[in-house]
Amino acid sequence: LEFVSLVAKPISHSLRLFGNMYAGEMIFILIAIMFSGGLSVLALAGGGLQFVWAVFHILIITLQAFIFMVLTIVYLDMAHQHH
């Protein structure tokens, strides 16, 4: 039973990281659709929002990947330790 728990944690973290990255990409698409109207003022605002979201997204995804990587290493180390 403990083996299932130790295997499920890294899988759970990888699926959550994938979901977070996928949601960030969907926000890019939604911003592009929302500001793809005919007015050039809205297009410029949409371009600015895309840039701000891109910087935020890159910082957050890098931080999440690092945290999930460290947690996976800790969990695998816990599974490998002999008591």
Side-chain angles (χ1 to χ4, degrees):
L1 191 57
E2 185 67 24
F3 177 75
V4 173
S5 172
L6 291 172
V7 170
K9 287 178 185 178
I11 293 172
S12 170
H13 285 302
S14 63
L15 290 175
R16 282 197 287 168
L17 180 60
F18 172 75
N20 291 342
M21 293 175 69
Y22 184 75
E25 297 301 322
M26 287 295 109
I27 299 258
F28 277 122
I29 293 171
L30 290 174
I31 290 173
I33 290 171
M34 188 169 63
F35 288 102
S36 65
L39 297 175
S40 62
V41 175
L42 286 178
L44 288 174
L49 271 172
Q50 288 279 7
F51 177 74
V52 170
W53 181 255
V55 170
F56 178 73
H57 182 65
I58 288 170
L59 291 174
I60 294 301
I61 290 299
T62 305
L63 180 64
Q64 285 182 346
F66 176 74
I67 290 170
F68 289 154
M69 176 195 66
V70 169
L71 286 174
T72 300
I73 290 170
V74 168
Y75 291 146
L76 290 175
D77 183 53
M78 287 170 46
H80 190 268
Q81 286 180 358
H82 298 288
H83 295 286

